[in-house]
Amino acid sequence: MNRFVLLLIVSVLAFSPVVAQKPTEADLSNKMAQAEMLRRANNHAKALDYYLWIGENAEIGSYNHVTAYFAASTCYFSLKQYRESYEMVKSILYCEDDRYRSLIVDQYVKCGYYYAQSVISNISKGKVSYSSMREVLEGILPYAKSADRPRIMSLIAYDWFFEGFEYHCCTAYEEALECYKIALSINEEIGMVNQQLNIIDKIAKIYS
């Protein structure tokens, strides 16, 4: 009888699901220290794995969570994975802690700009979503410093221009004119004369 009970207990334990133990603060701190060593050694890919693990296991909004995801964004950026870098830092944009706020905002603006630029620069590949890139750029614009705003607005204008040029090539002239005029207005606002002349030339060709 005792043997039967023992076998029953063993079989129950063998088929019981294993519950993963939640990492302690000490575990997270140790992992953070290892990640920092890897990052300083320029091993961004391995450090990224560590930061993501910390962010996933730390309490949302905690020091470890915010710090890990911010660091993960910088690793993605170093690896030229701009979309991932942008999305990662955007996920902690809610943080209002004065210790991190300015760093997070600056990273958000930088990553958003590089992400949009990298996509728009691939215009020849025909894989550009114009409206989605404008959404990114218009999202970072309110957070940008005054010195950075013309650069971001110029890229928004380029996005409108490229969309207009695509319509132009397809003889969808009404849509092309709408895009060109928006691009022209933005370039007038930031004083980009050469771009204005280029757009005016395209508009003139539609009316000729």
Side-chain angles (χ1 to χ4, degrees):
M1 182 68 177
N2 289 339
R3 185 179 177 186
F4 173 77
V5 172
L6 180 61
L7 288 172
L8 181 61
I9 292 172
V10 169
S11 64
V12 169
L13 290 175
F15 290 99
S16 294
V18 177
V19 179
Q21 187 175 2
K22 185 175 177 61
T24 65
E25 287 299 313
D27 294 331
L28 296 174
S29 297
N30 289 335
K31 206 74 161 180
M32 185 73 77
Q34 294 173 45
E36 286 297 302
M37 289 178 63
L38 290 165
R39 185 177 62 83
R40 285 197 292 269
N42 291 324
N43 191 345
H44 299 292
K46 186 62 176 177
L48 176 61
D49 290 339
Y50 281 42
Y51 288 130
L52 292 176
W53 182 88
I54 297 165
E56 289 165 3
N57 286 282
E59 182 181 350
I60 294 175
S62 66
Y63 169 83
N64 281 324
H65 175 82
V66 173
T67 302
Y69 276 1
F70 178 82
S73 175
T74 65
C75 288
Y76 275 129
F77 191 87
S78 296
L79 296 167
K80 298 184 188 266
Q81 295 177 242
Y82 300 126
R83 178 180 64 83
E84 293 83 356
S85 180
Y86 162 75
E87 291 175 348
M88 183 60 63
V89 73
K90 185 180 179 182
S91 73
I92 56 171
L93 192 62
Y94 65 84
C95 179
E96 295 290 345
D97 193 315
D98 292 339
R99 293 175 293 174
Y100 326 115
R101 182 63 181 171
S102 62
L103 291 173
I104 291 171
V105 167
D106 288 347
Q107 179 77 356
Y108 174 62
V109 171
K110 180 176 75 171
C111 294
Y113 179 83
Y114 273 82
Y115 169 39
Q117 184 183 53
S118 68
V119 173
I120 294 171
S121 65
N122 288 322
I123 180 68
S124 61
K125 297 180 181 178
K127 297 180 180 180
V128 175
S129 174
Y130 297 104
S131 61
S132 65
M133 289 304 98
R134 287 195 294 270
E135 183 179 345
V136 170
L137 292 166
E138 289 166 359
I140 67 174
L141 190 59
Y143 297 93
K145 295 174 181 176
S146 56
D148 294 327
R149 289 178 62 83
R151 185 167 57 111
I152 297 169
M153 293 177 69
S154 177
L155 196 55
I156 295 172
Y158 268 120
D159 191 72
W160 278 111
F161 172 78
F162 286 138
E163 184 172 10
F165 186 68
E166 189 171 293
Y167 280 127
H168 194 162
C169 292
C170 297
T171 67
Y173 297 128
E174 185 176 339
E175 291 84 353
L177 282 171
E178 182 180 351
C179 294
Y180 283 154
K181 288 176 181 178
I182 295 173
L184 181 61
S185 174
I186 296 171
N187 280 309
E188 286 174 346
E189 183 179 347
I190 58 179
M192 303 293 283
V193 176
N194 289 338
Q195 282 78 359
Q196 292 176 52
L197 294 174
N198 186 31
I199 296 168
I200 291 170
D201 177 65
K202 293 292 187 293
I203 292 173
K205 287 179 179 177
I206 290 177
Y207 285 117
S208 62

